């Protein structure tokens, strides 16, 4: 159960998200368009979780991807969905506000 919660909310080994972003990682914000419009990180791509599966062609399987949302829950689901589709370098960034510079 603890492992499930870790995976869901992105807890685990510390990842330097700022370094990944500086190195060109793609930031995928999986919130709704309305949430994204209310505030987001410059350069983030808005691919809502409910449409992520039909938008996989917008992402390369070998690129570094960081998912984010409002709380970390949807971004955890997006991470698992991307990994199941063969994306190899996907990180759950959690809440988008925690990734702001």
């Amino acid at each position: 159960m603890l492992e499930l919660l870790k995976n869901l909310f992105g807890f685990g080994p510390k990842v330097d998200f700022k370094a990944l972003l500086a190195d060109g990682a793609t930031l995928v914000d999986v919130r709704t368009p309305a949430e994204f419009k209310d505030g987001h990180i410059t350069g983030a791509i808005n691919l809502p979780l409910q449409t992520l599966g039909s938008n996989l062609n917008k992402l390369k399987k070998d690129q570094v991807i960081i998912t984010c949302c409002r709380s970390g829950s949807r971004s955890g689901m997006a991470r698992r969905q991307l990994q199941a589709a063969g994306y190899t370098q996907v990180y759950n960034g959690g809440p988008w506000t925690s990734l702001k510079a």
Side-chain angles (χ1 to χ4, degrees), residues 34-95:
E35 289 174 297
F36 187 79
K37 184 179 176 186
D38 283 342
H40 61 273
I41 296 174
T42 302
I45 300 170
N46 184 219
L47 299 176
L49 181 61
Q50 60 270 30
T51 66
L52 185 60
S54 61
N55 284 299
L56 294 179
N57 61 330
K58 296 180 180 177
L59 302 169
K60 295 178 184 169
K61 289 195 175 188
D62 61 346
Q63 71 188 113
V64 177
I65 299 170
I66 301 170
T67 60
C68 66
C69 64
R70 183 176 48 97
S71 68
S73 179
R74 287 176 283 180
S75 57
M77 289 184 263
R79 175 181 172 262
R80 285 190 305 284
Q81 186 176 344
L82 289 167
Q83 287 176 323
Y87 291 80
T88 58
Q89 299 183 73
V90 185
Y91 300 91
N92 178 2

Side-chain angles (χ1 to χ4, degrees), residues 19-39:
L20 289 176
L21 290 168
D23 287 341
T26 299
L27 182 60
V28 178
D29 191 320
V30 297
R31 296 176 298 148
T32 66
E35 289 174 297
F36 187 79
K37 184 179 176 186
D38 283 342

